[in-house]
């Protein structure tokens, strides 16, 4: 992995240890200019992770605790009448000036608020009273969803979950990690020890380089065949959308860049496929999450990789 | 045909080459017969490997020195050992001379032997003259047939053959007007003599063209007389003819020949009725054309007047009525017309003939089509392998690596539907950890060549080619019999 990214991971691991794969995936989403949905039980370090990430990457990070009474204007801002000037003045919301937004328990927010956030995530701007206010670059949202306890919750609909690049789970730490966690927090908070390892400009340059990574037609063909195979799978009601295919390509590019390459290969697509597409596939019958992973693994197993497809066309010549 | 020819040769030699002037001419049939007959006469054998004529028998032991006078030698007598023959002097004198007993003979020189494959039967100059004379005699015999008596005898023989043909075929033939009681034996003997001479000349010349002319003549005679030989006889004769035409025979040539004979036999059997009908009709037409030509060229050969033609009883097959034994008395021209009306149209016979020709021409090639295709794939594979080492390095890298994958998958040592860079573990299990360690970098080179905008260099190509060579070596060494066949299939058919 790139050295600076390695430093970022090391800094974040000061706060939350033993979760290197999750940290790398979050960085992948950051590089791919996407957003992450963390779906996990409470108390596993989702908020700490986001805060550490903000400090390690030098981003202005804010946290929003979604509750049923959070209004869209709390996020987007609102216009208030200024009696002195006799005009309306825009009061920016949480989203303005924020590079990294941690939205806790997004499933508790009302639908209107969710829509306002998701719109901002998609368009990188907010519109208040007909005036558009662009958001800062980069703009990265880590939304968390508490899967335990559905009282007073508004689960994200499928169409809105589709806007997140990755859906990850943090999971519980293992024994050593939890022991280290308890020792570290005896008399200090390690979040203050996180230093900036990657500046905002470096991050923007890295995002630019990721966008310039080459995806050959063979790779695009592989992504297309995967998405089309998901739509025609026997157990799938709704398959991977074209937006999902775009996000898959973007994530594969970020993955290739993190590996030090400026071109995407088939294994990059396979590595990010589960995380990118797990929340985009709806099964025909209500089933556990494991069933979705089975379907996705079945797709990976049966759809020919671009290497094998190249072999077949080579043998036919 | 060979044995037949030998018998003819022997008979011809005994009849024509007996020379009462005392010149010793020895008949040597040891080359042709499987056993060594008593040597009474032999001929000098020329070995085609040597520029000058050298005797077949063991070479002379030593050179003739000045001390040796011709008087020290004598004429060869039956029973004298062959290694006593004084070859140099014999060549000078043009007669066999032997050294007296006691003179040592050196046996270390090796010359052509009886088993030499390159020897050919040739005749000394004297015998060539005799053969020329035999050929001229043959021509004279043919000219003899122009004499009335010889011609009448030949015509009587033809009438006999026409009569035999009428018994088997439905056509009636015009007869040659010959005197009653005309003897045919002299004509038969003359013809047999001419045939023997022709065969002997064929053996002497070894000419394929001559054999082709003889075979064409045999076919013409069958067509003219409407008396085709039995099917098995045709097959045997065709085989002998093909053997003669295909000398010298290699293994592949022998296979070609046998398949050709099989194809022709099959075609003949399938189309025999049509062949018979075609032969009959062809015979009729040819004979009519020849009669008209003969009538124009030789005024003495004329057909019988219209009213004097015989009315023959012929059996016709009445296909329309289904009566196969109907007999009718009809003038033969009318019979012919009726036959045409009730039989298949003429163009169908031509179709069958054309189809027969195509079958004969195409069938021998059919068994070889898989080999022809295999050879084409082999050439294609060789070109593909050559392209790996030349041309664009990126293309060469991809091609070479795809070869590696094809080899691994042919041996079930691949990693399934996973990217090649992820095949490390299955290759470690299936082949070895060292090989897997060398495979991974080559997989990355392949990905660079296939998916990267940056070109690869010659060093990368060499690395992948080295992996390909190692892969082939390892898999061939580990393959069992079935897998070796599979690898050969991969090598020449897949790649």
């Amino acid at each position: 992995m790139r050295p600076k990214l390695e430093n970022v991971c090391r800094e974040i691991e000061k706060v939350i240890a033993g979760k290197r794969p999750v940290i790398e995936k979050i960085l992948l989403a950051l590089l791919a200019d996407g957003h992450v949905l963390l779906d996990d039980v409470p108390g596993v370090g989702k908020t700490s992770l986001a805060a550490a990430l903000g400090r390690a990457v030098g981003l202005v990070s804010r946290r929003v605790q979604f509750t049923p009474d959070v209004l869209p204007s709390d996020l987007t801002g609102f216009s208030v009448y200024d009696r002195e000037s006799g005009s309306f003045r825009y009061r920016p919301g949480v989203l303005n000036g924020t590079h990294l937004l941690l939205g806790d328990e997004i499933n508790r927010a009302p639908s209107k608020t969710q829509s306002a956030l998701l719109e901002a995530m998609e368009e990188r701007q907010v519109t208040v009273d007909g005036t558009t206010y662009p958001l800062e670059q980069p703009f990265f949202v880590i939304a968390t969803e508490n899967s335990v306890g559905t009282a007073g919750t508004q689960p994200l609909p499928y169409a809105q979950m589709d806007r997140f690049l990755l859906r990850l789970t943090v999971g519980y730490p293992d024994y050593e990690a939890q022991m280290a966690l308890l020792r570290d927090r005896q008399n200090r908070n390690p979040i203050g020890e996180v230093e900036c390892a990657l500046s905002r400009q470096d991050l923007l340059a890295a995002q630019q380089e990721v966008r310039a990574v080459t995806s050959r037609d063979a790779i695009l063909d592989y992504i297309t065949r995967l998405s089309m195979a998901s739509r025609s799978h026997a157990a799938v009601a709704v398959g991977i959308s074209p937006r999902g295919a775009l996000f898959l390509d973007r994530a594969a590019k970020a993955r290739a860049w993190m590996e030090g390459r400026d071109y995407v290969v088939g294994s990059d697509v396979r590595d990010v496929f589960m995380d990118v597409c797990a929340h985009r596939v709806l099964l025909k019958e209500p089933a556990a999450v494991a069933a979705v992973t089975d379907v996705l693994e079945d797709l990976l197993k049966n759809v020919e990789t671009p290497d094998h497809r190249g072999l077949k066309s080579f043998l036919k010549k | 045909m060979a044995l037949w020819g030998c018998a003819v040769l022997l008979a011809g030699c005994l009849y024509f080459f007996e020379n009462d002037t005392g010149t010793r001419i020895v008949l040597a049939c040891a080359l042709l017969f499987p056993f060594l007959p008593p040597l009474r006469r032999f001929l000098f054998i020329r070995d085609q490997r040597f520029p000058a004529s050298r005797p077949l028998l063991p070479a002379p032991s030593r050179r003739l020195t000045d001390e040796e006078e011709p008087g020290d030698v004598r004429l060869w007598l039956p029973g004298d050992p062959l290694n006593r023959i004084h070859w140099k002097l014999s060549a000078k004198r043009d007669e066999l001379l032997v050294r007296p007993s006691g003179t040592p003979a050196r046996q270390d020189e090796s010359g052509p032997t009886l088993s030499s494959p390159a020897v050919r039967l040739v005749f000394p100059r004297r015998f060539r003259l005799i053969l020329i004379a035999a050929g001229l005699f043959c021509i004279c015999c043919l000219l003899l047939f122009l004499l009335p008596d010889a011609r009448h005898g030949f015509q009587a023989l033809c009438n006999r053959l026409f009569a035999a043909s009428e018994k088997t075929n439905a056509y009636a033939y015009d007869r040659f007007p010959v005197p009653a009681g005309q003897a045919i034996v002299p004509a038969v003997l003359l013809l047999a003599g001419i045939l023997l001479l022709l065969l002997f000349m064929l053996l002497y010349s070894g000419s394929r063209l001559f054999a082709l002319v003889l075979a064409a003549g045999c076919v013409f005679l069958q067509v003219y007389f409407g008396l085709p030989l039995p099917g098995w006889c045709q097959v045997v004769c065709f085989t002998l003819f093909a053997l003669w035409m295909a000398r010298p025979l290699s293994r592949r040539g022998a296979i070609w020949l046998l398949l050709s004979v099989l194809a022709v036999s099959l075609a003949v059997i399938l189309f025999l009725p049509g062949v018979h009908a075609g032969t009959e009709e062809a015979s009729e037409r040819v004979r009519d054309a020849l009669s008209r030509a003969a009538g124009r060229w030789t005024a003495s050969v004329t057909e019988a007047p219209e009213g004097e033609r015989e009315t023959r009883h012929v059996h016709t097959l009445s296909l329309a009525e289904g009566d196969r034994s109907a007999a009718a008395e009809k003038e033969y021209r009318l019979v012919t017309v009726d036959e045409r009306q009730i039989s298949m149209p003429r163009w169908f016979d031509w179709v069958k003939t054309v189809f027969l020709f195509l079958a004969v021409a195409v069938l021998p090639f059919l068994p070889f089509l898989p080999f022809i295709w295999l050879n084409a794939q082999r050439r294609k594979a060789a070109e593909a392998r050559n392209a790996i080492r030349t041309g664009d390095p990126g293309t060469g890298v991809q091609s070479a690596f795809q070869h590696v994958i094809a080899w691994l998958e042919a041996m079930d040592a691949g990693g399934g539907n996973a990217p090649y860079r992820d095949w490390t573990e299955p290759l470690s299990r299936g082949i070895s950890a060292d090989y897997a360690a060398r495979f991974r970098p080559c997989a990355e080179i392949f990905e660079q060549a296939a998916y990267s905008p940056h070109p690869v260099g010659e060093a990368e190509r060499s690395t992948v080619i080295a992996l390909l060579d190692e892969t082939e070596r390892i898999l061939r060494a580990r393959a069992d019999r079935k897998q070796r066949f599979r690898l050969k299939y991969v090598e020449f058919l897949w790649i």
Side-chain angles (χ1 to χ4, degrees):
Chain A
M1 210 168 72
R2 309 282 176 142
K4 288 192 176 178
L5 288 181
E6 186 67 30
N7 296 334
V8 169
C9 292
R10 210 176 301 123
E11 292 297 323
I12 296 174
E13 282 180 323
K14 291 178 181 177
V15 175
I16 178 165
K19 296 296 174 187
R20 187 59 176 258
V22 179
I23 296 169
E24 287 180 357
K25 288 175 184 175
I26 292 176
L27 285 176
L28 184 146
L30 184 62
L31 290 168
D33 205 14
H35 308 285
V36 174
L37 178 64
L38 289 179
D39 186 3
D40 217 325
V41 294
V44 293
K46 300 186 291 295
T47 308
S48 303
L49 181 60
L53 176 64
R55 287 179 70 93
V57 189
L59 299 175
V60 175
S61 60
R62 291 202 176 105
R63 175 174 175 269
V64 172
Q65 178 64 51
F66 287 103
T67 56
D69 55 353
V70 171
L71 298 173
S73 57
D74 295 336
L75 300 177
T76 61
F78 55 92
S79 298
V80 64
Y81 181 75
D82 187 2
R83 191 178 298 181
E84 292 176 1
S85 63
S87 61
F88 285 92
R89 195 156 47 104
Y90 172 67
R91 287 284 183 97
V94 175
L95 298 180
N96 301 86
T98 301
H99 298 130
L100 174 63
L101 177 71
L102 173 62
D104 267 334
E105 297 183 88
I106 190 172
N107 56 330
R108 290 186 66 194
S111 302
K112 223 172 170 182
T113 307
Q114 290 175 0
S115 298
L117 176 61
L118 294 168
E119 182 184 350
M121 285 164 53
E122 184 71 21
E123 299 174 14
R124 301 297 201 274
Q125 63 186 22
V126 294
T127 303
V128 176
D129 294 335
T131 306
T132 302
Y133 301 94
L135 300 178
E136 292 281 334
Q137 291 296 327
F139 181 68
F140 183 57
V141 173
I142 299 179
T144 66
E145 198 175 35
N146 192 349
S147 56
V148 177
T150 56
T153 61
Q154 297 283 341
L156 279 177
Y158 167 78
Q160 290 171 353
M161 282 179 64
D162 195 46
R163 298 174 190 270
F164 288 92
L165 177 67
L166 301 177
R167 189 171 101 170
L168 305 173
T169 57
V170 180
Y172 289 120
D174 55 10
Y175 177 80
E176 285 77 18
Q178 185 155 338
M179 285 294 293
L181 173 72
L182 292 171
R183 286 196 200 100
D184 288 341
R185 282 169 174 70
Q186 289 296 313
N187 50 12
R188 64 185 177 89
N189 189 358
I191 191 70
E193 298 172 9
V194 176
E195 295 175 358
C196 177
L198 183 71
S199 67
R200 177 170 160 262
Q201 287 70 26
D202 291 340
L203 178 61
L204 289 172
Q207 287 181 339
Q208 191 65 30
E209 287 179 14
V210 167
R211 278 191 284 271
V213 170
T214 304
S215 281
R216 285 282 174 99
D217 281 350
I219 301 299
L220 301 179
D221 168 75
Y222 183 45
I223 293 171
T224 303
R225 283 186 289 114
L226 279 171
S227 60
M228 295 186 80
S230 69
R231 295 167 203 164
S232 58
H233 196 279
V236 173
V238 178
I240 301 169
S241 62
R243 183 196 288 139
L246 280 170
F247 280 171
L248 187 55
D249 178 48
R250 214 191 295 179
K253 286 185 176 181
R255 173 77 180 178
W257 187 87
M258 289 172 71
E259 292 289 327
R261 283 181 274 107
D262 61 350
Y263 54 93
V264 178
V265 298
S267 60
D268 294 331
V269 177
R270 291 170 73 93
D271 290 342
V272 301
F273 182 69
M274 298 293 275
D275 296 318
V276 170
C277 300
H279 59 286
R280 299 178 197 280
V281 173
L282 281 181
L283 299 184
K284 285 179 180 174
E285 296 172 0
V289 175
V292 174
T293 56
D294 291 340
V295 169
L296 295 180
E297 280 172 4
D298 190 44
L299 290 174
L300 286 176
K301 186 179 167 187
N302 293 329
V303 176
E304 271 184 326
T305 60
D307 297 345
H308 283 78
R309 203 162 178 87
L311 174 66
K312 270 195 176 177
S313 61
F314 168 77
L315 292 177
K316 278 181 189 172
K317 290 180 188 174
Chain B
M1 178 74 112
L3 292 178
W4 191 8
C6 294
V8 168
L9 174 62
L10 179 61
C13 290
L14 290 176
Y15 185 74
F16 286 102
F17 295 98
E18 186 65 53
N19 192 327
D20 294 331
T21 60
T23 304
R24 298 204 178 265
I25 304 162
V26 182
L27 177 66
C29 292
L31 183 64
L32 304 177
F33 286 101
F35 59 92
L36 196 65
L39 286 180
R40 177 171 171 270
R41 299 169 186 268
F42 71 89
L43 301 166
F44 283 100
I45 306 296
R46 176 182 299 162
D47 188 345
Q48 291 180 346
R49 296 176 302 179
F50 298 89
S53 297
R54 293 180 62 176
L56 177 67
L57 300 170
S61 59
R62 58 191 173 85
R63 295 177 182 276
L64 178 63
T65 61
D66 292 337
E67 290 76 20
E68 289 186 1
E69 295 293 335
D72 294 339
V73 297
R74 59 173 176 79
L75 288 175
W76 183 87
L77 294 173
D80 288 336
L82 297 178
N83 59 355
R84 294 287 175 194
I85 296 175
H86 199 301
W87 296 104
K88 188 170 182 181
L89 202 56
S90 298
K92 283 185 179 177
R93 294 277 191 88
D94 202 15
E95 55 188 1
L96 284 176
L97 302 171
V98 293
R99 297 182 193 81
S101 303
T103 308
R106 193 172 60 177
Q107 299 294 333
D108 56 349
E109 284 193 26
S110 62
T113 64
L114 285 174
S115 61
S116 297
V119 297
R120 193 167 80 87
L121 189 67
V122 296
F123 296 90
R125 189 173 179 180
R126 179 178 300 185
F127 300 116
R128 281 187 229 153
L129 293 174
I130 292 175
L131 284 175
I132 291 172
L136 290 173
F137 177 75
C138 185
I139 293 170
C140 292
C141 291
L142 287 172
L143 292 174
L144 281 176
F145 281 106
L146 294 177
L147 293 175
D149 287 339
R151 191 172 71 250
H152 288 155
F154 177 69
Q155 288 174 349
L157 177 61
C158 290
N159 287 341
R160 292 281 184 96
L161 293 175
F162 289 147
S165 176
E166 283 178 4
K167 288 180 184 175
T168 57
N169 301 323
Y171 293 98
Y173 295 87
D174 275 337
R175 295 288 193 269
F176 289 106
V178 295
Q182 175 68 43
I184 63 172
V185 171
V188 170
L189 290 176
L190 200 58
L191 279 173
I194 293 172
L195 183 62
L196 290 175
L197 276 174
L198 289 174
L199 287 175
F200 179 73
M201 289 165 67
L202 172 67
L203 289 174
Y204 165 65
S205 63
S207 167
R208 288 182 175 85
L209 179 63
F210 197 70
L212 188 62
V213 168
L214 283 182
C218 181
V219 171
F220 172 77
L221 288 175
Q222 292 182 64
V223 171
Y224 181 80
F225 290 109
L227 286 173
L229 294 172
W232 64 268
C233 190
Q234 301 269 20
V235 171
V236 169
C237 289
F238 179 79
T239 304
L240 293 175
F241 172 69
L243 276 172
W244 184 262
M245 297 294 283
R247 297 169 299 130
L249 267 186
S250 62
R251 186 183 300 178
R252 180 179 290 186
I255 295 174
W256 274 99
L257 176 64
L258 288 173
L259 287 173
S260 301
V261 169
L262 190 65
V264 171
S265 305
L266 186 64
V268 167
I269 291 169
L270 286 175
F271 295 100
L272 194 58
V275 169
H276 269 167
T279 305
E280 291 162 10
E281 188 161 348
S283 166
E284 181 73 16
R285 289 206 201 93
V286 167
R287 209 189 56 76
D288 287 347
L290 285 176
S291 297
R292 284 194 293 274
R296 284 196 296 271
W297 294 343
T298 56
S300 59
V301 178
T302 56
E303 288 187 0
E306 186 78 20
E308 295 181 5
R309 285 188 184 173
E310 294 181 32
T311 301
R312 296 182 182 82
H313 295 270
V314 294
H315 293 277
T316 61
L317 293 175
S318 175
L319 299 177
E321 301 170 2
D323 185 3
R324 300 178 68 85
S325 62
E329 290 187 28
K330 296 182 182 177
E331 203 273 332
Y332 84 98
R333 296 288 181 195
L334 184 61
V335 168
T336 305
V337 171
D338 285 345
E339 283 290 334
R340 290 195 189 124
Q341 286 176 352
I342 64 177
S343 62
M344 295 296 291
R346 188 184 305 177
W347 62 265
F348 191 71
D349 289 333
W350 284 109
V351 169
K352 282 195 289 187
T353 305
V354 169
F355 188 78
L356 174 65
F357 174 77
L358 291 175
V360 169
V362 170
L363 278 175
F365 292 94
L366 284 181
F368 291 98
L369 279 180
F371 299 100
I372 294 171
W373 180 72
L374 271 174
N375 281 334
Q377 291 294 328
R378 218 179 272 258
R379 278 195 298 274
K380 201 173 165 184
E383 288 170 6
R385 291 300 293 266
N386 290 336
I388 289 174
R389 299 172 194 274
T390 58
D392 177 47
T395 306
V397 161
Q398 291 185 64
S399 180
F401 198 79
Q402 298 288 18
H403 277 70
V404 171
I405 300 302
W407 278 84
L408 290 172
E409 294 206 325
M411 294 289 286
D412 295 328
N417 186 35
Y420 297 148
R421 60 163 50 208
D422 298 334
W423 280 23
T424 307
E425 187 183 339
L427 288 177
S428 298
R429 284 198 309 269
I431 301 180
S432 69
D434 288 338
Y435 178 80
R438 282 191 287 276
F439 180 88
R440 172 67 187 251
C442 292
E444 292 175 358
I445 294 172
F446 165 77
E447 286 175 347
Q448 183 181 352
Y451 306 121
S452 166
H454 308 297
V456 295
E458 291 295 334
E460 286 84 358
R461 189 206 320 243
S462 302
T463 306
V464 177
I465 289 174
L467 178 72
L468 174 60
D469 295 336
E470 185 186 351
T471 306
E472 289 183 10
R473 181 182 56 80
I474 292 173
L475 294 180
R476 282 190 191 279
R478 293 154 54 100
D480 57 17
R481 195 174 181 179
K482 189 177 175 182
Q483 288 170 334
R484 274 201 294 273
F485 176 79
R486 207 182 203 180
L487 287 175
K488 189 174 180 181
Y489 178 81
V490 168
E491 185 175 352
F492 293 113
L493 296 186
W494 279 21
I495 306 175

